Amino acid sequence: DFERLSLESLQIGNPQGWQVKKEWDLADNKSGFRMRIALKPDPLGNANNFLRADGKFRGVTPQQFVDYLLNPANLPGLQVWNDVATLPDGSLIKYCKVKAPLMAARDHCWRYIIDKRDDGSIFVCIRTTTHPQCCETPGVIRAYYYNSTVFRMSTDAEEEGVLLMTEFIFQDL
């Protein structure tokens, strides 16, 4: 999915329906953080949109970003975070429970696939899964989540030390 999605145009009137909601901030960003956000309707008809985020982060490496994804201690509303299993193929199963404002708690059972590539980039796919140690809890809504991301260092001389991120997210809470 990631390769196909990353080739889709974000130009106005593109056939896939992407609409840029937040364009790159062209001003010099002192924090070293820039983001572009685009949305498109779910091709299967779900009411939730598909999100694409392109980010630029100064002073962060791909591995540091992956380390955060594997242990997001400061995720707003995080109530439970458990490492559940490492599967024979090296993928990881994690469980979390999150409570957002004005919403009932949601829980997730996620499978992480991490591919460290020869060029130094890292591909991460996080997708809802099932596991015997991630039983659904009465009174807690099991949410669906899909995230695929590539983290790589820029090769542009003007962006030395800048991490480039392209991320696709779909969630049904």
Side-chain angles (χ1 to χ4, degrees):
D1 284 347
F2 183 88
E3 295 300 327
R4 177 185 54 78
L5 290 167
S6 65
L7 295 174
E8 293 181 356
S9 171
L10 297 180
Q11 298 298 317
I12 293 174
N14 67 76
Q16 293 83 21
W18 286 108
Q19 293 184 350
V20 174
K21 296 299 182 181
K22 182 185 179 299
E23 193 53 79
W24 293 108
D25 178 7
L26 299 178
D28 182 25
N29 187 327
K30 292 179 182 171
S31 71
F33 170 81
R34 295 176 60 204
M35 200 74 145
R36 174 179 62 191
I37 303 293
L39 299 172
K40 78 171 187 172
D42 175 46
L44 300 177
N46 189 293
N48 297 299
N49 286 317
F50 219 92
L51 179 139
R52 175 181 174 152
D54 295 289
K56 296 184 179 194
F57 307 89
R58 185 168 302 282
V60 180
T61 67
Q63 187 59 55
Q64 287 172 315
F65 221 112
V66 171
D67 290 345
Y68 173 77
L69 289 177
L70 292 172
N71 191 18
N74 64 349
L75 180 68
L78 182 64
Q79 295 180 331
V80 177
W81 184 262
N82 291 328
D83 296 336
V84 175
T86 300
L87 301 180
D89 65 1
S91 62
L92 306 169
I93 304 294
K94 295 189 177 266
Y95 171 85
C96 68
K97 181 176 164 187
V98 180
K99 170 72 174 84
L102 305 176
M103 293 178 73
R106 271 41 173 184
D107 74 350
H108 302 267
C109 183
W110 290 336
R111 181 178 180 189
Y112 284 68
I113 298 171
I114 301 170
D115 179 17
K116 295 181 179 183
R117 299 175 173 177
D118 292 339
D119 64 1
S121 66
I122 302 176
F123 172 78
V124 178
C125 182
I126 306 168
R127 179 173 253 150
T128 295
T129 191
T130 58
H131 189 276
Q133 292 177 276
C134 293
C135 299
E136 293 192 33
T137 305
V140 177
I141 297 167
R142 177 62 51 100
Y144 175 81
Y145 184 76
Y146 166 81
N147 175 311
S148 60
T149 308
V150 167
F151 303 100
R152 65 182 176 84
M153 298 306 293
S154 176
T155 56
D156 186 334
E158 295 179 15
E159 293 184 324
E160 185 176 342
V162 173
L163 172 82
L164 304 178
M165 175 202 79
T166 297
E167 172 179 61
F168 295 97
I169 298 174
F170 180 80
Q171 54 188 350
D172 192 352
L173 301 176

